[in-house]
Amino acid sequence: MTFQLQNYIDVRVMDILSCQEVKPEIISWSPRIIVLHNFLSNEECDYLRAIARPRLQVSTVVDVKTGKGIKSNVRTSSGMFLSPTEKKYPMIQAIEKRISVFSQIPAENGELIQVLRYEKDQFYKPHHDYFSDTFNLKRGGQRIATMLMYLSDDVEGGETYFPMAGTGDCSCGGKTVKGMSVKPIKGDAVLFWSMGLDGQSDPNSIHGGCEVLSGEKWSATKWMRQKPTF
């Protein structure tokens, strides 16, 4: 079913890094998915958008043969990666540390944050975040988990869709489909694992970005690996 504000973990976590109250909610155990309400402040969301806007380029996907980024009609957004220098900015450092605290994965195991913009009719078809090539495994190993942070409101559609989660129907870009979806709400984040408890890549972690019907969907993604990436 479409994710509703229910089934919260019965605890509120006060983030000492930002003095804001982050409220975790488990929405699926297989695949493992947690929605973190109020993960980013309005100021942090606007800051990431401001950094990214003048540097947006057409998004790419990983070529399984070469491990390099290539353009594809599977993904129709625009985006950019923060630089290693920007990773050291105080506000970015606070976000990085918060991601590490809630994922329980060391900050040095994370890739650089990618900021994305989806405009009307844009989408990202269902895919896995873990790698199918050997090239990308050389730096940091396999991807363990993903933190997907929403940076904007006033968007229709644009849900994050997990076709293998749940047992009901959900809304995805104005269509009713099987699985579970999370509506983008500014400041919220979705933490999900690409690797199961057995240490193997989890095929149930397949997910996509539903078509945006109106407005702009801004998000920031942090992928986390088995080992340090830098």
Side-chain angles (χ1 to χ4, degrees), residues 102-147:
F102 281 89
S103 67
Q104 289 296 283
I105 298 174
E108 59 267 25
N109 288 27
E111 300 177 31
L112 294 171
I113 291 175
Q114 183 183 36
V115 181
L116 294 165
R117 181 184 67 185
Y118 291 83
E119 299 178 280
K120 187 178 184 299
D121 298 329
Q122 292 188 328
F123 57 86
Y124 195 173
K125 291 183 179 179
H127 61 282
H128 294 103
D129 279 354
Y130 56 76
F131 296 117
S132 300
D133 65 281
T134 56
F135 179 87
N136 279 289
L137 298 178
K138 296 177 181 178
R139 181 176 63 87
Q142 189 58 274
R143 284 173 172 169
I144 300 174
T146 300
M147 184 73 80

Side-chain angles (χ1 to χ4, degrees), residues 176-192:
T176 299
V177 294
K178 297 291 184 182
M180 180 178 289
S181 63
V182 181
K183 179 178 173 58
I185 297 175
K186 186 177 183 180
D188 282 2
V190 182
L191 171 63
F192 60 93

